Amino acid sequence: MSPRTALRPALRTGTAEPWVDDPFGRAVRAGRGPLWLRRADGSRLALEVERWCAPAAGADHGLVLRCLGLSAPVLDLGCGPGRLVAALLAAGVPALGVDVCAASVEHTARLGGLALRRSVFDRLPAEGRWGGVLLADGNLGIGGDPGALLARAGALLAPGGLLLVETAAQEVDEVADVRVEGPDGAGPPFRWARCGPAATLRRARAVGLERAERWDSHGRSFLALTRS
């Protein structure tokens, strides 16, 4: 299954879609977890629903700061409940979110932001003209192919634009089959990736992106990338 197919919003075809027909939307509407990514081997990774639904804080402010003064608006890929879109708008930075989950799009709107319900691999407005593109909160894992996602995100940037990527804090490089799991059940399986700073940078350089900055904040790790 391609990343595009794996992440397209459900259109009532009878096939369950990850992040759409699973507990994620219910958790966003409730504003709390618990919620996990459950691997096929039984191990699981906690999802920080409460932090995502709360106002921007901590390391989020570093992302917003790096968007100030960009020559064009910012696109938040996999925006979730919209806290970064809202924080950017509050700082005077025009921003748009993109997410496959209807609950995330609705939550972003309640915060005063704008988000589109679609896959990051679908056609998006102003392709090649965004001053900044965000891949935060583990969204580098979208589609299970970090190289393809980084190439897609880089293609959305305007010349001189900045791609801000949150990596795994530790040096990990893995792709796994996972499900979104909550107390009331689990959704369909899909591919998900996790990459630390070094693995992310290797993939970025392979698709024509170069490191502009690397930083750590509040236990989280980030890279700023530009098109070479």
Side-chain angles (χ1 to χ4, degrees), residues 89-172:
L89 293 174
V93 180
L96 173 69
V98 175
D99 205 286
V100 297
C101 176
S104 292
V105 172
E106 293 161 5
H107 196 282
T108 302
R110 287 197 295 273
L111 296 179
L114 179 64
L116 300 178
R117 188 187 173 208
R118 64 185 67 175
S119 164
V120 302
F121 292 98
D122 286 337
R123 185 161 183 81
L124 297 173
E127 296 198 9
R129 290 181 283 158
W130 292 95
V133 173
L134 303 184
L135 279 170
D137 302 326
N139 285 333
L140 182 59
I142 289 174
D145 187 343
L149 182 60
L150 288 167
R152 169 60 172 155
L156 294 168
L157 288 172
L162 203 59
L163 171 57
L164 300 174
V165 182
E166 182 171 356
T167 73
Q170 65 273 34
E171 288 296 357
V172 63

